[in-house]
Amino acid sequence: MKTTCPLCAFEYEPGDESCRASGCPFASKACRKLHCPRCGYSVPDERASALARLVRRLLGERPRVERVQREATDAPFRLSEAPVRTRGAVSHIDAAPALSAQLAAQGIVAGTVLRLAQRHPAFIIEVGETVLAVERSVAHSVWIHPGDPTVADSQEPHA
Amino acid sequence: MAPRKGLGAPALATVGATSDHGRNPQTNAIDDQTRRIVLVGNPNVGKSALFTALTGHHVTVSNYPGTTVEITRGRLRIGSDNAEVVDSPGVNSLLALTEDEQVTSALVASLRGNPNAVVVQVADAKNLRRALLITLELGQIEVPTVLDLNMTDEAEGHGFEIDTQGLSEALGVPVCRTVATRARGVEELVAAISRARVPLNHFALPEEARPAVARLKAGVASELGAVDLRVVARYTEALLARADSLVKSYVRRRRGPTGAWLHPDRLAHVLGALSVHPVWGWPMLFLALGAVYLFVGRLGAGTLVDLLEHGLFGRLINPAVGALFARVPWPFVRDLFVGPYGLVTVGLTYGLAIILPIVATFFLAFGIAEDSGYLPRLAAMLDRLFRAIGLNGKAVLPMVLGLGCDTMATMTTRILATRKERLIATLMLALGVPCSAQLGVLLAMVSVVPASAACVWLISVMATVVVVGWLAARVLPGQVGLFVLELPPMRMPGLGNVLAKTAARVEWYLREAVPLFLVGTFLLFVLDRVGALPGLIRIGEPIVVGLLGLPREAAEAFLIGFLRRDFAATRLFDMARGVAGLTTIQLVVSMVTITLFIPCIANVFIIVKERGWRVAAAITAFVFPLAFAVGGLVRWAMVAAGTWGVR
């Protein structure tokens, strides 16, 4: 999982290889720091910190590392993997016909622009003025293109 | 389409309304003679509010989907003509996927070719895209339609501008603007009914989606195969694409929602977000439960019951009636009204002095929760917990409604997607969800036992519900539907609507429950007079005394518990406060047993109606023995623990 150095903005894959390559003597699985191989700047690994996860959850956010990764790619991904506040257009729905029909009746079809407002305890999805609560497996079947399609001028939630 | 008969100047008048209890959806077809106005639309867009505005007759209006699960009919006077107005359950698409949607689909399909039928499609003006899906479907079915953009005040508040004229021309139907809750624009809507037309649907439909149109016109069955569902999804996608292009052409958003932080819309939005927040949602939930407990348990079951029972009935009514009947020379008549099983001293006192204040305060609290939009958010919060008992979060709605009345809630199980879920929810309602009347009495009983004993009652009932639900989820065949639930916007509950709803429910209680209380009392009186009561008590002795360890007289309570369990609970509560009283263990055992009883005889009838007599018989044969078995188990465990005495 890639991360971006907050000091030099270099994007790197944290882990043993890059750490060892930079010559860090503490490079091991027990290490709880992310070490930029370009500038050497190190930050605590949020993913390894239960407290950081709690704070993020209290603020309704996902760990930053994950969001950075999502912004870096244009490929469609599952809504269940999207960080909170992701906005994008539905690429396709990978679900059994019953769920596809149910989602279509709720206005969610390929091309519909939606926003993920929350992930726990249920996934909260905003489609125009409609707000839906769905379980994780439903969010897992919806693939979205990341990005921020402009829909602010109408009710039309189509990209 | 042939020109329609003019309806003349609108002049609204109230004639009344009825609900189609017991009717099969397929028989909701409308005859061709009377002019019919059928209200159709997405859930929670104000159909029932418009129905009230048109007919003047109050129907239950709430801020969550599934309030209307049956057809309701009322009358509207238009000029010199009478028209019938029909309110239908909300649908997201006329290609029905659930049992409640099927009611509306069948109704709309039956309107085809009826020259006197008009559909008034009620739309949330803020959410036109999804409404237009139904408009386009109505075009496919070829039913004359008027499109009513309701909640235009909210849409304007959100900065939406809708070109009504342009939309009307594009769809080929009259488009009106209303605020149904304030009866704004209703007369213009009535005037437009005479101009209703079939919506235009001149757009290319994909070839593979065409079978869906035939299904739409026929009024589809809810159990669809995979191929059909794929067609439905493809068809809906095509219609939504058309709806999107219409929205793009005729709706503009000039600005976002009203910006001021203290604006009610903004506060409601923040409150809505907090109530489903992964962390803050739980304190909000406990806060809401605490508030309900204080309002119903303390104010209703405590203060108001004291005032009515000891004040009004204890000091005024019962002594006055007693003095009146003291002059009656026939002991039989005297005992019938003011004896130990007297209709006034027991039946009316229980029904009006003890239960009425409890149900009234509960209905008031429930009305506020309904109108605020909190209940669907509660469903989202509890989805994962409900999975353990083979249900999903959507089942929270009938369960919470069951705290008001299990009989009404059993009908609401229709909103659940699969037969298995509906069956489990029906069983859970019959087994472990106390109705408002019973809950109030139970809360009053809780207040006279130690906190630890109250916990035993709560844990016993919850454990029984969870274990039975868990087993039912594994034993019953079928699937559990996926959790997809629309969350309506949080709103400040309207005082008028909440009070009207409470009044309607209290009236329902007085009409349905109080007569059963009187029947129960009369039954006991007759049994006592003919000398059969001691015999029945003897028959029940092995269970009541042997298994549950209760006094012999408690058999009376369980006997009438078959009619209404809240009546039985009240009887037990009365015994507890009597001279002999009940020990802590006896109180808890009786509370557990009576909580697990089937709520009332009306509940059995509604299970027969909704799920068939086999299911009703199976649930009845399962619940009553289980209630006694759990009661016996609790008694054994409490005696073994030795903390609460030995009886």
Side-chain angles (χ1 to χ4, degrees), chain B residues 16-356:
Chain B
T18 55
S19 188
D20 278 10
H21 293 281
R23 290 198 199 183
N24 185 304
Q26 299 294 347
T27 62
N28 283 319
I30 275 167
D31 74 68
D32 287 354
Q33 302 306 314
T34 319
R35 181 164 295 278
R36 279 0 192 278
I37 300 162
V38 180
L39 307 183
V40 172
N42 296 90
N44 211 37
V45 293
K47 290 182 296 301
S48 300
L50 183 64
F51 179 86
T52 303
L54 285 171
T55 64
H57 192 97
H58 180 80
V59 288
T60 303
V61 181
S62 302
N63 193 12
Y64 67 94
T67 308
T68 310
V69 291
E70 300 211 326
I71 307 275
T72 310
R73 294 161 196 265
R75 289 194 185 279
L76 165 70
R77 189 162 296 143
I78 307 172
S80 57
D81 292 343
N82 263 335
E84 187 178 52
V85 184
V86 182
D87 185 20
S88 66
V91 287
N92 288 312
S93 162
L94 291 171
L95 278 161
L97 296 172
T98 61
E99 214 173 278
D100 56 328
E101 287 183 336
Q102 172 64 19
V103 175
T104 304
S105 298
L107 172 67
V108 173
S110 76
L111 303 178
R112 285 194 77 220
N114 181 350
N116 285 320
V118 172
V119 165
V120 171
Q121 190 205 336
V122 188
D124 177 356
K126 309 187 297 298
N127 213 340
L128 207 50
R129 176 184 184 244
R130 289 180 57 199
L132 288 173
L133 170 66
I134 295 174
T135 317
L136 296 170
E137 285 177 336
L138 287 166
Q140 302 278 350
I141 303 172
E142 296 167 2
V143 182
T145 301
V146 174
L147 177 59
D148 170 33
L149 306 182
N150 193 27
M151 306 193 209
T152 45
D153 53 342
E154 286 188 7
E156 282 160 16
H158 282 68
F160 290 117
E161 289 178 4
I162 302 171
D163 176 4
T164 317
Q165 185 61 34
L167 191 63
S168 172
E169 284 166 14
L171 289 168
V173 300
V175 178
C176 302
R177 305 164 78 97
T178 56
V179 182
T181 47
R182 293 178 204 164
R184 201 185 291 164
V186 174
E187 296 216 350
E188 290 80 354
L189 173 69
V190 174
I193 288 173
S194 61
R195 305 195 306 274
R197 296 287 182 273
V198 172
L200 299 173
N201 50 25
H202 301 150
F203 62 97
L205 201 61
E207 193 57 43
E208 71 268 25
R210 290 196 185 280
V213 179
R215 196 168 277 283
L216 195 60
K217 287 177 177 172
V220 288
S222 57
E223 302 291 336
L224 297 175
V227 177
D228 297 324
L229 286 166
R230 213 165 278 130
V231 167
V232 168
R234 183 75 193 92
Y235 172 74
T236 310
E237 195 175 334
L239 293 192
L240 277 174
R242 169 65 178 153
D244 280 329
S245 73
L246 286 168
V247 168
K248 200 167 190 171
S249 305
Y250 301 108
V251 181
R252 289 283 173 273
R253 190 168 191 177
R254 294 299 176 205
R255 55 183 169 78
T258 313
W261 264 101
L262 289 177
H263 190 279
D265 275 1
R266 177 64 70 90
L267 285 176
H269 181 77
V270 171
L271 214 57
L274 281 178
S275 62
V276 282
H277 192 273
V279 176
W280 307 122
W282 296 108
M284 294 264 301
L285 170 60
F286 292 119
L287 208 66
L289 287 177
V292 170
Y293 172 73
L294 286 178
F295 190 62
V296 181
R298 292 292 175 88
L299 179 70
T303 315
L304 293 180
V305 168
D306 273 355
L307 274 175
L308 283 176
E309 193 192 6
H310 299 132
L312 187 65
F313 273 78
R315 288 185 190 158
L316 293 173
I317 295 179
N318 286 346
V321 176
L324 190 71
F325 277 92
R327 295 177 186 176
V328 176
W330 308 288
F332 176 86
V333 176
R334 222 167 32 228
D335 286 351
L336 174 63
F337 287 93
V338 292
Y341 303 104
L343 294 176
V344 176
T345 45
V346 176
L348 279 186
T349 307
Y350 281 10
L352 298 181
I354 300 180
I355 308 281
L356 180 64

Side-chain angles (χ1 to χ4, degrees), chain A residues 107 118 130 135 153 155 158, chain B residues 126-127 244 253 276 387:
Chain A
Q118 191 176 307
T130 303
E135 64 178 81
D153 289 337
Q155 290 181 330
H158 232 79
Chain B
K126 309 187 297 298
N127 213 340
D244 280 329
R253 190 168 191 177
V276 282
R387 298 236 152 235

Side-chain angles (χ1 to χ4, degrees), chain B residues 450-587:
Chain B
S452 57
C455 287
V456 172
W457 162 69
L458 194 64
I459 291 168
S460 308
V461 171
M462 289 185 78
T464 309
V465 167
V466 170
V467 169
V468 170
W470 187 82
L471 287 172
R474 272 137 199 90
V475 170
L476 291 174
Q479 300 263 315
V480 176
L482 293 166
F483 177 63
V484 178
L485 185 67
E486 186 173 348
L487 304 183
M490 289 284 277
R491 293 194 179 105
M492 178 64 83
L495 183 66
N497 193 35
V498 171
L499 289 179
K501 237 179 346 186
T502 306
R505 283 176 168 151
V506 167
E507 186 190 320
W508 158 83
Y509 164 78
L510 292 173
R511 281 171 186 270
E512 186 162 309
V514 173
L516 272 177
F517 272 45
L518 295 176
V519 169
T521 313
F522 183 68
L523 190 72
L524 285 178
F525 172 78
V526 171
L527 290 172
D528 186 45
R529 296 298 289 199
V530 299
L533 202 54
L536 283 169
I537 290 174
R538 254 198 313 279
I539 293 170
E541 219 169 77
I543 294 176
V544 175
V545 180
L547 180 69
L548 302 179
L550 297 175
R552 296 172 73 241
E553 296 72 31
E556 282 174 24
F558 290 114
L559 194 66
I560 49 176
F562 289 102
L563 277 179
R564 279 191 71 91
R565 63 182 177 183
D566 47 333
F567 189 2
T570 314
R571 188 93 191 145
L572 290 165
F573 182 44
D574 216 20
M575 281 177 65
R577 295 182 303 172
V579 182
L582 293 175
T583 64
T584 301
I585 294 181
Q586 285 174 331
L587 256 170

